[in-house]
């Protein structure tokens, strides 16, 4: 491994600007500064850059100079010297970004201990030792602010939590500064412990909405290179899940998520994370309707007051079926100027109105986001097209079509650390591509030791331990989207065959009841776990042979990716994100159209293959397992969209 000298002379190297005094040694200010590193953006040479983010230089006796002409930005790059400086004033006190560019050939020892934290050291070493720098670092880095109603592991009810728990980490690893803002839900149960690592920043912020002033606190945890910021307010403290409880959805969700959006817009301005704020020049990535007010607030509240003029916003649509629609009278509660009503205005078609005097007037938060965001993202390419059609557009198709030039689809990745059969803490036996004995029946030899995960699952759920019996699984929200009605009607037929079927899910009451009843009627073959349980979801993914996904529509779908990684064959309805994957991946089984008969036919073919063609089955498993589902690829595509967002002026100025 090459070592680098990082020392005083590098900082005194020529700068084209007015930093004339003695610059500090890295070790001098390591305790008060945050670090992040920049990029290897001098392609084809041996340069790379380290970005040092400083604050309060003036207070420390080092003067800095604000370059008005360049808006305080680039002061100059001297390619042949080893240093360059960049000045970016950040909300008042936070002044200096200094960039030092090194040549890898520099002799001497590099004192990693001088640096602010081990994270940087890790990245540094990795980047120098094996050309990862080319792959992992991006040319341009951004201050990215995710706004989301859930982020795993802190809160999760579905795929949104997975994405917002893992994509930020992937982007931070590529050199971006990333903050995730979500509520600090306290349900009064053991799940509250997930927030134990987050401390109160003691930065009480006032938010004007719902006819008064609301005070929110911010809690913070720095983990995996990401600033996890939790908005705290009494309305997030109640039993249930983020959106509702046993009695249904909370009646004040519009209030709770308005608070989230208002607080998230303040967070980059007021929170001194790692000693310095993110500042105004950031990119907001608002997820689904819960965060949909963020782009609207930038356009309607901040920019007219000269704030966030250089920020950009992206609305990421994970599920267009949920739009945050409330009666028109609630508009006045949102903290938006009256003249912006049109952005959120929504009129229900006549057939959807409840009575003769109902004018259908409503506000639609997701619509507001689509109208004001700089760019629009969906979680697969297929879905980005589907939302522009009457079938998939849920009334927003025309609006989305009118903005199709800024709509992109990027297929989700998965957290390959959490979902890794070779190290998964939740499963009975570990296995991998090299050794699938924990999972599969090899070459017709049914050996108990070889299929530990399946047997452990059968035992745990009280099913007969039958290692060679095809085990079919389903995991998901019990929702119309997931095709539960089809599953429900097909299950008695499916269970006529010699198979076992396990379902894990929660959602609509009628389906929960049906799962309980079916378990009673088919106690030898069927188990229905009603509830939300992450460890069980891992064990089902690992222990089943087949994962069934009869989704009516699926913007991307994550369970099929988890299943493939665990050598479990997905049998899916070919729609949206699933369809795209089926085309490319042989390790996945698709059927269409979505009917009971088609689904049963596909399942029967899969089951026969499992029983009679073990070698083919193992081939399918391996093809799924070897697929790269990590975020790396998607993260690069996200960066491209960020770049486009900043290339254009803000959509609403
Ligand atoms: N009862 C239960 N117990 C434990 N875990 C459970 C569970 N029910 C669901 N899960 C977990 O929740 C996640 C669901 O992922 P999906 O991709 O099916 O997302 P969902 O439809 O919620 O989200 C939307 O957003 C995601 C992310 O963009 C898109 O992939 C998707 O198509 C879109 O509908 C998986 O991790 C699954 O294991």
């Amino acid at each position: 491994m090459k070592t680098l000298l990082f020392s005083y002379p590098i900082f005194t190297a020529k700068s084209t600007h007015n930093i004339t005094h003695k610059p500090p040694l890295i070790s001098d200010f390591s305790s008060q500064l945050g670090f992040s590193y920049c990029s290897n953006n001098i392609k084809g040479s041996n340069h790379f850059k380290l970005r040092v983010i400083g604050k309060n230089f003036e207070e420390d006796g080092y003067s800095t100079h604000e370059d008005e002409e360049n808006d305080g930005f680039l002061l100059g790059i001297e390619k042949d010297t080893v240093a360059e400086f960049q000045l970016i004033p950040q909300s008042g006190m936070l002044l200096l970004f200094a960039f030092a560019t090194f040549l890898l050939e520099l002799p001497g020892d590099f004192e990693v201990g001088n640096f602010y934290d081990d994270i940087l050291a890790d990245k540094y070493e990795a980047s120098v030792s094996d050309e990862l720098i080319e792959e992992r670092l991006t040319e341009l880095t951004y201050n990215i602010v995710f706004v989301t109603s859930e982020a795993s592991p802190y809160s999760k009810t579905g795929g949104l939590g997975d994405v917002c728990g893992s994509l930020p980490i992937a982007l931070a690893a590529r050199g971006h500064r990333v903050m995730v803002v979500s509520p600090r839900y306290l349900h009064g149960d053991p799940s509250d412990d997930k927030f134990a690592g987050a401390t109160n920043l003691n930065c009480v912020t006032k938010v004007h909405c719902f006819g008064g002033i609301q005070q929110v606190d911010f809690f913070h945890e720095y983990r995996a290179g990401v600033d996890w910021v939790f908005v705290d307010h009494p309305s997030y403290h109640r039993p249930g899940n983020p959106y509702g409880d046993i009695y249904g959805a909370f009646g004040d969700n519009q209030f709770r998520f308005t608070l989230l959006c208002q607080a998230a817009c303040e967070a980059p301005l007021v929170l001194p994370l790692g000693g310095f704020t993110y500042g105004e020049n950031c990119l907001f990535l608002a997820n689904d309707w819960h965060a949909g007010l963020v782009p609207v607030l930038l356009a309607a509240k901040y920019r007219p007051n000269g704030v966030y003029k250089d920020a950009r916003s992206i609305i990421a649509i994970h599920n267009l079926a949920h739009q945050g629609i409330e009666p028109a009278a609630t508009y006045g509660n949102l903290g938006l100027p009256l003249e912006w009503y049109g952005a959120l205005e929504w009129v229900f078609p006549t057939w959807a109105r409840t009575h003769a005097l109902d004018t259908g007037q409503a506000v639609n938060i997701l619509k507001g986001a689509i109208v004001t965001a700089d760019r629009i993202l969906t979680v697969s390419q297929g879905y980005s097209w589907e939302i522009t059609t009457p079938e998939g557009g849920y009334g927003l198709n025309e609006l989305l079509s009118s903005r199709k030039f800024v709509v992109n689809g990027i297929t989700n990745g998965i957290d390959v650390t959490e979902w890794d059969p070779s190290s998964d803490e939740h499963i009975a036996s570990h296995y991998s591509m090299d050794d699938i004995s924990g999972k599969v029946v090899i070459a017709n030899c049914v050996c108990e030791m070889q299929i530990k995960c399946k047997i452990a699952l059968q035992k745990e759920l009280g099913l007969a331990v039958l290692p060679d019996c095809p085990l079919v699984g389903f995991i998901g929200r019990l929702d119309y989207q997931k095709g539960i009605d089809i599953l429900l009607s097909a299950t008695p037929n499916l269970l006529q065959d010699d198979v076992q079927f396990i379902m894990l899910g929660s959602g609509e009451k009628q389906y929960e009841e049906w799962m309980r009843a079916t378990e009673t009627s088919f106690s030898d073959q069927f188990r229905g776990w009603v509830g939300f349980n992450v460890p069980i979801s891992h064990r089902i993914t690992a222990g089943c042979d087949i994962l069934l996904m009869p989704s009516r529509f699926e913007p991307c779908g994550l369970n099929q990716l988890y299943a493939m990684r665990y050598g479990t064959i997905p049998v899916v309805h070919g729609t949206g994100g699933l369809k795209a994957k089926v085309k490319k991946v042989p390790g996945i089984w698709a059927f269409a159209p979505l009917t009971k008969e088609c689904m049963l036919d596909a399942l029967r073919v899969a089951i026969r293959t499992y029983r009679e063609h073990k070698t083919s089955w193992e081939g399918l498993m391996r093809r799924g397992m070897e697929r790269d589902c990590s975020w790396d690829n998607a993260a690069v595509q996200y960066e491209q969209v960020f770049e486009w967002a900043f290339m254009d002026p803000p959509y609403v100025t």
Side-chain angles (χ1 to χ4, degrees), residues 1-4 37 48-50 104 109-115 117-134 136-137 173:
M1 185 179 117
K2 282 184 178 162
T3 53
L4 296 180
Y37 67 153
F48 75 100
K49 289 179 177 181
L50 179 77
L104 285 176
D109 287 324
F110 181 68
E111 283 281 312
V112 168
N114 277 344
F115 283 86
D117 63 28
D118 294 341
I119 290 161
L120 179 73
D122 286 351
K123 281 182 185 168
Y124 173 77
E125 296 208 18
S127 63
V128 177
S129 58
D130 42 49
E131 294 168 14
L132 270 179
I133 194 159
E134 272 295 332
R136 294 191 57 195
L137 302 185

Side-chain angles (χ1 to χ4, degrees), residues 156 159 162 318 412 477 481-482 531 533 554-559:
K156 166 174 161 177
D162 285 346
H318 299 260
N412 288 329
R477 292 179 291 108
Q481 176 194 348
K482 302 294 179 186
N533 190 313
E554 198 59 86
C556 175
L558 297 173
N559 282 328

Side-chain angles (χ1 to χ4, degrees), residues 150 156-164 288 317-319 378-379 383 412 418-419 474-478 481-482 504-506 529-538 541 549 551 553-560 562 577 581 631:
E150 46 183 282
K156 166 174 161 177
T157 68
L160 173 64
D162 285 346
V163 170
C164 292
D288 277 350
I317 300 174
H318 299 260
N319 193 338
T378 67
V379 288
Y383 195 57
N412 288 329
E418 188 199 340
W419 293 90
F474 169 91
I475 303 165
R477 292 179 291 108
L478 304 178
Q481 176 194 348
K482 302 294 179 186
L504 167 66
S506 58
W529 183 296
V530 176
F532 194 91
N533 190 313
V534 172
I536 295 282
S537 75
H538 282 243
T541 306
M549 290 183 74
S551 301
F553 68 95
E554 198 59 86
C556 175
L558 297 173
N559 282 328
Q560 80 282 5
Y562 300 144
K581 253 158 238 130
W631 273 107

